[in-house]
Amino acid sequence: MQSLGRHILAEISGCSFDILNDMALVQEIMINAALEAGAEIREYVFHKFSPQGVSGVVVISESHLAIHTWPELGYAAVDIFTCGQRVNPWDACDYLAERFQATTVNAREIQRGILGEVPKQVINL
């Protein structure tokens, strides 16, 4: 089945509180994860929450990487979406898990933009 993109949804846990709560470090790691995957970075924005937590997105030519952290739980929710065949989103996911010092990663890949005949669904509101 041909698709336009690959979307990794990752539950990354057992991570270092200090890493997940450091906005500058999370930003650096996310940017480097995109580069590890072979992506071309366009823009990025990150926000530090009080008392803890970081959210951010790295916009790449091939789509995006997004994150929200719960340092107090050692947990990060990560979203890696890449279009085309040149970038490997699993390289970014593996890099993030290593750099966040994760003990557990639960990730799955979803094919996005499936081309061809797709059964229609009717949604009644």
Side-chain angles (χ1 to χ4, degrees):
M1 186 176 324
Q2 184 179 356
S3 67
L4 297 175
R6 302 167 67 190
H7 199 157
I8 306 285
L9 300 175
E11 310 287 322
I12 303 176
S13 57
C15 303
S16 162
F17 175 95
D18 292 331
I19 294 170
L20 293 185
N21 202 42
D22 184 329
M23 186 185 79
L25 187 53
V26 169
Q27 177 178 298
E28 175 188 318
I29 291 169
M30 289 288 287
I31 289 168
N32 286 332
L35 296 173
E36 279 287 316
E40 181 179 336
I41 296 171
R42 293 296 180 178
E43 295 183 57
Y44 51 88
V45 62
F46 286 80
H47 177 78
K48 174 79 168 76
F49 292 95
S50 180
Q52 66 252 340
V54 174
S55 282
V57 64
V58 177
V59 178
I60 57 178
S61 294
E62 302 80 7
S63 194
H64 70 271
L65 288 78
I67 189 169
H68 186 75
T69 73
W70 285 262
E72 70 278 16
L73 301 176
Y75 170 75
V78 176
D79 182 288
I80 307 164
F81 185 17
T82 63
C83 298
Q85 302 303 315
R86 192 177 63 77
V87 176
N88 185 349
W90 286 106
D91 289 344
C93 186
D94 292 343
Y95 180 86
L96 292 172
E98 179 183 325
R99 290 298 310 274
F100 292 150
Q101 300 174 359
T103 59
T104 305
V105 177
N106 183 0
R108 65 182 175 153
E109 179 174 332
I110 300 170
Q111 299 296 306
R112 302 293 305 271
I114 297 170
L115 303 177
E117 287 293 318
V118 178
K120 291 184 181 180
Q121 292 182 338
V122 177
I123 299 174
N124 295 316
L125 300 178

